Amino acid sequence: QFDQGGWPIVADDAPAPGPEPRQRPVATAPASGNKPSTAGERGGNGGVAGNRSGARGANAAPLLASGMQAGSPLLEVFQGTRPPGSWRAIGGVVVSWRVTIHGTSGETIGVREVVHTADTTFAERDRLEYTDNRVFGRVGAQVFAERSGMPSPGQIDQAAAELLLFGTQLRCPWLFGDANAFAVVQKDVEDRGGERLHKAVLERRPPVALDLAGPELDPKPRDRFELLYDPGTGMPRELVQRFASSREARRVLLEDWREWEGVQLAHRRVYVDESLRPTTVLEITRIERQRVSERDFRLH
């Protein structure tokens, strides 16, 4: 049951009297310059305890500790890989990816090279360069695509999907350390190949919208991830990704961890099917630091 303002009616809570619906308090930006927040969004330990814009439903269970909050399962992961601050301190990087596509019998049916420029200080600053003269870039929510130096607006959707894919793979697991961007909605234990691994289920939070009040009538799908890791060392073993754009669950094995610039980085990511046969392999063949600015990701 909901009152006239669209808010759920709970015990000891009566609907607002009169014809006017009860108004949600107006959020104001704090003097410190941080992102605006509304009452109920912040819980104990400074973490997000409620639902942003009602995206998870009016009756959803409270979220677990996320990011670097006390009690978050990600703290175990960051003990192995180093914390997000160590990753952000690296700054600009240039990565050469080798992408290998396998057939149903394990045979190689295609190989391509992708040069990936990224700014580790930000979650969404990436540039992808392909051998066929395509270049994709993003700065936050803005996505750019060009081919042979000319804008290619018809490839914006493809560019957004590939930038999200490579950006997520490069920044895993550190991007999950932002509790304002991701929420831990479940933690569990799961058997994988005879090993008992810990699992953290994460969901991307919806963007802050100060003009919304009450639960969403039609919640939009959100990116969802399952991160499985060794409880002894904290090292990630597997990532199950389900992007909102496709809603298809893909299982990725995280292998060949090496220390680089003070963090542990997986140099090999193997997509597998239900029978654990590799379908696509992403390998880092070269990675080095490089000075970058916002203009490097806008293309034109």
Side-chain angles (χ1 to χ4, degrees), residues 24 35-38 41 51-56 124 140-141 179-182 203-214 216 219-223 244:
R24 185 180 183 180
K35 292 182 179 179
S37 62
T38 56
E41 285 184 353
N51 298 328
R52 275 187 173 178
S53 305
R56 301 187 62 241
E124 296 176 323
N180 291 316
F182 291 93
E203 186 178 86
R204 188 183 297 274
R205 295 185 186 275
V208 177
L210 298 181
D211 57 340
L212 295 180
E216 289 184 62
K220 297 180 176 61
R222 304 292 176 190
D223 296 338

Side-chain angles (χ1 to χ4, degrees), residues 81-156:
T81 63
R82 303 300 298 159
S86 298
W87 169 256
R88 291 194 299 267
I90 295 174
V93 297
V94 177
V95 183
S96 294
W97 293 98
R98 178 187 294 124
V99 184
T100 305
I101 310 298
H102 294 277
T104 55
S105 299
E107 74 280 11
T108 298
I109 61 177
V111 178
R112 67 174 178 174
E113 304 286 339
V114 181
V115 177
H116 181 185
T117 304
D119 190 340
T120 69
T121 309
F122 298 88
E124 296 176 323
R125 283 193 182 180
D126 299 276
R127 175 190 179 103
L128 300 175
E129 301 175 57
Y130 300 86
T131 55
D132 60 0
N133 297 321
R134 288 179 300 147
V135 182
F136 299 153
R138 67 171 178 173
V139 177
Q142 294 182 302
V143 177
F144 310 92
E146 68 179 31
R147 187 162 196 163
S148 300
M150 298 295 293
S152 183
Q155 292 186 304
I156 290 296

Side-chain angles (χ1 to χ4, degrees), residues 215-268:
E216 289 184 62
L217 296 180
D218 185 19
K220 297 180 176 61
R222 304 292 176 190
D223 296 338
R224 193 176 178 91
F225 303 91
E226 298 176 13
L227 185 65
L228 290 93
Y229 59 94
D230 186 323
T233 64
M235 295 302 297
R237 296 287 191 83
E238 184 178 320
L239 177 71
V240 179
Q241 63 184 36
R242 184 181 289 106
F243 292 122
S245 57
S246 65
R247 303 194 188 184
E248 179 185 6
R250 299 293 304 276
R251 186 176 174 184
V252 190
L253 307 182
L254 306 175
E255 303 176 347
D256 193 13
W257 289 88
R258 308 180 200 172
E259 184 175 355
W260 180 77
E261 295 291 342
V263 299
Q264 291 290 334
L265 179 66
H267 281 60
R268 179 180 171 90

